[in-house]
Amino acid sequence: MEIKIMKNILDRNQNKASEVRSLLASKKVLMVNLISSPGAGKTTLLERTCEAIGSEFRIGIIEGDITTDRDAQRLKKYNVPIVVINTEGGCHLDSHSISKVLGSFDLDSLDVLFVENVGNLICPSQFDLGEKFKIALVSTAEGDDKPGKYPMLFREAKAVLLNKIDLIPHTNFKPDNFRSDLKMINAQVPLFEISCTRGDGLDKWIDWISGEINKPI
Amino acid sequence: MEIKIMKNILDRNQNKASEVRSLLASKKVLMVNLISSPGAGKTTLLERTCEAIGSEFRIGIIEGDITTDRDAQRLKKYNVPIVVINTEGGCHLDSHSISKVLGSFDLDSLDVLFVENVGNLICPSQFDLGEKFKIALVSTAEGDDKPGKYPMLFREAKAVLLNKIDLIPHTNFKPDNFRSDLKMINAQVPLFEISCTRGDGLDKWIDWISGEINKPI
């Protein structure tokens, strides 16, 4: 019974996601679904990204959080439109919650809409929000064994960002182990090794995401 | 409708959890439900704990993982009975999965049964497994704002372990911010500030958990 219910929930989510995707395509807005564990650096990545491309592209942000608007407060200084979705305990965003808040944006005035999902490496990867693609972010502090242990997200992601590479000398993280683990799950996916606090590798991420924004939706 | 279904699932989980709790009480086994984000250090904490109290107490371990038995492999060297539950995509353990594997242990020969839940700061806190109590583990690399952002677990936990304090000098983690954030959510909960790799603070955790094992169930 539970499997059937889960299938119904996912089917309804999928239908609404398709609507969202059509709407965003008609408005030529690229929606990116950013997924990671708690504290891997999603908000800091958005800060660096706003700084780097905020004058070139028109950015909007949806902040998914269980409670509080702390992440949105951090992003306010970039003067981009931000809407917070508090899931009140919910472990992921879904397409219905996204659909409801899209009306709060002037979609004709956006190039890209970043969705910062709830901090969770598992559930968000199962819910299509209507995004063009998912980005997986993982921190070196989480260990080099995460792609194999949490394969769904790494299989689905259009790009993988390995953040906090500045911490590697202080941990037992082995970059080669991580790379080979990821390769086993998703051999083709681009990997960006970055430090959002120190700046390493961000130029390559910025080039890549700029290229994606410039592609026809 | 979804709320009713969720209530049914939680009710059925609760009933089975009560059965598990009664069984473990009759066998005088303390079951501890260990919850954290991916990569916060649950397995390393169990390694250090086995080393410290493995000769004094009879330990058993249930390893919850989406896939792979990597964590169990790391723990094999301690010669304690270990059972792996692979959730095959599921984001948390539930009381039915625990109940099914209890038969694999000789409960008359155990003092404590540690359950390492799936790496997820959200969903596992909603599912009673029949444990005596939950332990929340969080890593400094996740940032000092986690109690307020993910309050459910911190509200429920009988103790909170802040791991990887050796990384503090290399991050923007502010211990005072973390402590006051935690105090707002759960003013009474004991907090252990530890480094499972370097050893800091582990003596206090070991004293505390030994005391809990020694209490009548």
Side-chain angles (χ1 to χ4, degrees), chain A residues 1-2 5 8-9 12 37-40 42-43 65-68 70-71 74 88-92 94 116-123 126 139 141-152 164 166-167 170-172 181 184 197, chain B residues 1-2 5 8-9 12 37-40 42-43 65-68 70-71 74 88-92 94 116-123 126 139 141-152 164 166-167 170-172 181 184 197:
Chain A
M1 195 196 75
E2 277 176 41
I5 292 162
N8 284 346
I9 291 172
R12 285 199 295 137
S37 300
K42 294 184 292 304
T43 311
D65 263 307
I66 290 178
T67 179
T68 84
R70 289 179 184 179
D71 294 343
R74 288 173 54 190
E88 306 296 342
C91 55
H92 60 87
D94 65 19
E116 180 174 341
N117 218 311
V118 177
N120 184 335
L121 210 50
I122 309 170
C123 317
Q126 299 171 336
S139 137
E142 293 172 59
D144 52 33
D145 60 351
K146 291 302 159 288
K149 289 187 68 186
Y150 300 82
M152 296 97 72
K164 308 193 189 183
D166 54 297
L167 292 182
H170 314 292
T171 66
N172 54 12
D181 212 37
M184 205 176 61
T197 53
Chain B
M1 193 195 77
E2 277 175 41
I5 292 161
N8 285 346
I9 292 173
R12 284 199 296 137
S37 301
K42 293 184 293 305
T43 311
D65 262 308
I66 290 178
T67 180
T68 84
R70 290 180 183 179
D71 293 343
R74 288 172 54 189
E88 306 296 342
C91 54
H92 60 86
D94 64 21
E116 180 175 341
N117 218 310
V118 177
N120 183 335
L121 210 51
I122 308 170
C123 316
Q126 298 171 336
S139 137
E142 295 173 58
D144 52 33
D145 60 351
K146 292 301 160 288
K149 288 187 68 186
Y150 299 83
M152 296 96 73
K164 308 194 188 182
D166 55 296
L167 292 183
H170 314 292
T171 65
N172 55 13
D181 212 37
M184 206 176 61
T197 55

Side-chain angles (χ1 to χ4, degrees), chain A residues 7 33 47 61 80 83 100-101 114 158 173 178:
Chain A
K7 191 178 173 311
N33 183 358
E47 290 181 314
I61 296 175
V80 299
V83 175
K100 276 183 202 155
V101 302
F114 289 105
K158 171 121 176 164
F173 185 95
F178 180 85

Side-chain angles (χ1 to χ4, degrees), chain B residues 78-91:
Chain B
Y78 300 105
N79 291 314
V80 299
I82 304 177
V83 175
V84 176
I85 301 175
N86 275 154
T87 62
E88 306 296 342
C91 54

Side-chain angles (χ1 to χ4, degrees), chain B residues 74-113:
Chain B
R74 288 172 54 189
L75 292 161
K76 255 172 56 178
K77 60 180 171 292
Y78 300 105
N79 291 314
V80 299
I82 304 177
V83 175
V84 176
I85 301 175
N86 275 154
T87 62
E88 306 296 342
C91 54
H92 60 86
L93 295 176
D94 64 21
S95 57
H96 293 82
S97 57
I98 296 294
S99 174
K100 276 183 202 155
V101 302
L102 282 184
S104 305
F105 293 93
D106 175 7
L107 295 177
D108 293 313
S109 303
L110 284 188
D111 299 310
V112 59
L113 183 55

Side-chain angles (χ1 to χ4, degrees), chain A:
Chain A
M1 195 196 75
E2 277 176 41
I3 290 169
K4 196 174 154 213
I5 292 162
M6 190 61 192
K7 191 178 173 311
N8 284 346
I9 291 172
L10 287 174
D11 282 351
R12 285 199 295 137
N13 183 72
Q14 196 60 55
N15 292 340
K16 184 59 80 176
S18 301
E19 274 179 38
V20 167
R21 190 168 282 113
S22 299
L23 172 63
L24 292 171
S26 73
K27 299 289 187 181
K28 301 190 194 322
V29 176
L30 173 73
M31 188 162 88
V32 178
N33 183 358
L34 182 57
I35 300 177
S36 83
S37 300
K42 294 184 292 304
T43 311
T44 312
L45 178 73
L46 289 179
E47 290 181 314
R48 295 298 89 77
T49 304
C50 284
E51 287 160 10
I53 63 170
S55 54
E56 189 180 354
F57 299 111
R58 297 165 303 171
I59 299 173
I61 296 175
I62 296 176
E63 273 297 331
D65 263 307
I66 290 178
T67 179
T68 84
D69 64 351
R70 289 179 184 179
D71 294 343
Q73 290 296 337
R74 288 173 54 190
L75 292 161
K76 256 172 57 178
K77 59 180 172 292
Y78 299 106
N79 290 314
V80 299
I82 305 176
V83 175
V84 177
I85 301 176
N86 276 154
T87 63
E88 306 296 342
C91 55
H92 60 87
L93 295 176
D94 65 19
S95 56
H96 293 82
S97 56
I98 297 292
S99 174
K100 276 183 202 155
V101 302
L102 281 184
S104 305
F105 291 94
D106 175 8
L107 295 177
D108 293 313
S109 303
L110 284 187
D111 298 310
V112 58
L113 182 56
F114 289 105
V115 180
E116 180 174 341
N117 218 311
V118 177
N120 184 335
L121 210 50
I122 309 170
C123 317
S125 64
Q126 299 171 336
F127 284 80
D128 183 0
L129 305 182
E131 73 272 355
K132 186 79 182 287
F133 53 77
K134 295 178 174 68
I135 297 287
L137 179 68
V138 59
S139 137
T140 58
E142 293 172 59
D144 52 33
D145 60 351
K146 291 302 159 288
K149 289 187 68 186
Y150 300 82
M152 296 97 72
L153 175 61
F154 295 96
R155 210 172 274 140
E156 288 233 348
K158 171 121 176 164
V160 174
L161 280 77
L162 174 65
N163 190 23
K164 308 193 189 183
I165 61 168
D166 54 297
L167 292 182
I168 291 177
H170 314 292
T171 66
N172 54 12
F173 185 95
K174 303 277 184 300
D176 281 345
N177 291 2
F178 180 85
R179 291 177 200 129
S180 62
D181 212 37
L182 179 61
K183 208 164 188 174
M184 205 176 61
I185 301 296
N186 189 339
Q188 308 300 328
V189 70
L191 169 64
F192 299 99
E193 304 185 8
I194 63 174
S195 164
C196 284
T197 53
R198 210 172 54 183
D200 316 43
L202 284 174
D203 49 345
K204 286 183 184 143
W205 154 250
I206 292 300
D207 281 353
W208 185 87
I209 192 67
S210 299
E212 292 298 321
I213 301 171
N214 277 324
K215 282 182 188 169
I217 306 291

